[in-house]
């Protein structure tokens, strides 16, 4: 039901999975999980909140969900696809906040770098599934270090690998992250192209909620 609700949100649907299946809402479902010590359920809900906030550009909420979810250790098993993808998102969140250069920059940097190292191990065992994710994390790391040329190349590699391996949603994400990168350096033309390509990917994926988010972003920025 948690995954079903995430899909509905990405699609832009107003239906609520919790009310459909259990006649409840997400917060009540989460609180019940806490009361019954159903840590796996709580972790799923927090991952869902983090995913949704991250993909919709609400980085503060995504970081909050990351902080709470980190209390529920689940190991480092890449065979659990939701855990592997969630870990990659953690790295992207970490590099975003490290770039703010605030008092907790070093902590966020170390978190992001740890995710890069872990994803590199996963890519060694399954290049097809993880190489595009590794390239994206490396791009964000180079972005943090102000290595413009290296970051640009890694974004391109991530986009190509995601496309070649048919991860259309991750291709869209790589285009979107590249757009913010270009915008940071004042390359508005490249940023607009990247946002537009990201939107096309999300449209193909059927994520109309994300399409709407990208359209709003373009309208606000350009």
């Amino acid at each position: 039901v948690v995954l079903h609700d995430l899909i509905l949100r990405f699609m832009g649907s107003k239906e609520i999975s919790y009310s459909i299946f259990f006649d409840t809402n997400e917060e009540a479902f989460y609180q019940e999980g806490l009361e019954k010590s159903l840590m796996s359920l709580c972790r799923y809900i927090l991952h869902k909140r983090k995913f949704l906030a991250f993909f919709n550009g609400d980085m503060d909420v995504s970081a909050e969900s990351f902080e709470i979810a980190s209390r529920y250790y689940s190991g480092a098993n890449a065979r659990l696809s939701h855990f592997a993808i969630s870990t990659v998102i953690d790295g992207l969140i970490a590099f975003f906040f490290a770039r703010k250069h605030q008092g907790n920059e070093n902590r966020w940097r170390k978190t992001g770098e740890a995710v890069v190292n872990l994803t590199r191990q996963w890519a060694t065992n399954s290049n097809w599934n993880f190489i595009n994710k590794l390239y994206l994390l490396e791009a964000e790391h180079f972005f943090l270090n102000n290595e413009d040329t290296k970051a640009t190349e890694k974004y391109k590699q991530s986009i190509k690998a995601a496309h070649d391996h048919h991860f259309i949603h991750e291709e869209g994400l790589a285009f979107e992250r590249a757009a913010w990168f270009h915008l940071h350096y004042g390359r508005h033309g490249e940023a607009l192209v990247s946002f537009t390509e990201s939107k096309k990917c999300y449209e193909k994926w059927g994520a109309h909620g994300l399409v709407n988010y990208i359209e709003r972003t373009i309208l606000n920025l350009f």
Side-chain angles (χ1 to χ4, degrees):
V1 68
V2 178
L3 178 59
H4 185 270
D5 197 70
L6 176 62
I7 293 170
L8 289 179
R9 301 287 76 74
F10 280 161
M11 291 174 61
S13 173
K14 294 183 179 180
E15 290 186 281
I16 305 297
S17 294
Y18 303 98
S19 61
I20 295 173
F21 294 103
F22 295 105
D23 192 27
T24 187
N25 58 61
E26 183 172 277
E27 184 58 27
F29 207 52
Y30 177 69
Q31 291 300 326
E32 182 179 353
L34 288 177
E35 292 170 6
K36 296 181 179 179
S37 297
L38 301 174
M39 295 300 101
S40 180
L41 171 62
C42 294
R43 189 167 57 245
Y44 266 110
I45 292 175
L46 289 167
H47 285 338
K48 177 257 182 178
R49 290 176 177 177
K50 179 177 65 182
F51 272 50
L52 192 60
F54 177 81
F55 274 94
N56 282 284
D58 193 338
M59 300 304 291
D60 288 332
V61 171
S62 67
E64 179 184 354
S65 297
F66 162 78
E67 297 283 10
I68 299 173
S70 65
R71 304 170 190 169
Y72 307 124
Y73 179 71
S74 59
N77 189 349
R79 289 176 295 179
L80 300 174
S81 60
H82 71 278
F83 173 81
I85 297 170
S86 182
T87 300
V88 171
I89 296 297
D90 290 343
L92 297 176
I93 292 170
F95 285 136
F96 172 86
F97 281 100
R99 285 196 300 273
K100 287 183 172 293
H101 302 298
Q102 297 176 344
N104 56 1
E105 176 183 349
N106 191 51
R107 171 178 170 268
W108 282 118
R109 175 186 284 274
K110 288 183 177 180
T111 298
E113 290 173 346
V115 172
V116 171
N117 291 333
L118 182 58
T119 307
R120 186 173 290 120
Q121 294 177 31
W122 291 343
T124 300
N125 295 321
S126 181
N127 182 278
W128 182 276
N129 284 320
F130 291 104
I131 194 62
N132 70 295
K133 301 170 182 63
L134 175 60
Y135 288 152
L136 182 56
L137 286 164
E138 289 177 335
E140 295 279 292
H141 193 200
F142 284 132
F143 182 10
L144 170 61
N145 292 332
N146 294 312
E147 297 185 71
D148 188 355
T149 302
K150 291 181 179 179
T152 299
E153 184 59 29
K154 287 297 181 179
Y155 283 118
K156 290 178 179 177
Q157 290 177 342
S158 179
I159 289 165
K160 184 179 186 303
H163 178 80
D164 291 346
H165 297 175
H166 311 294
F167 298 138
I168 188 67
H169 57 304
E170 293 178 7
E171 182 183 356
L173 175 59
F175 269 122
E176 182 187 346
R177 300 317 304 168
W180 290 111
F181 162 71
H182 288 305
L183 199 64
H184 175 81
Y185 286 102
R187 296 189 288 263
H188 293 83
E190 289 93 332
L192 180 56
V193 169
S194 294
F195 276 128
T196 302
E197 291 301 318
S198 175
K199 174 187 169 184
K200 290 178 183 177
C201 291
Y202 290 146
E203 283 177 330
K204 291 179 183 177
W205 195 36
H208 303 296
L210 297 183
V211 170
N212 292 336
Y213 160 67
I214 295 295
E215 288 179 340
R216 291 194 304 270
T217 300
I218 291 173
L219 285 173
N220 289 334
L221 292 174
F222 302 97

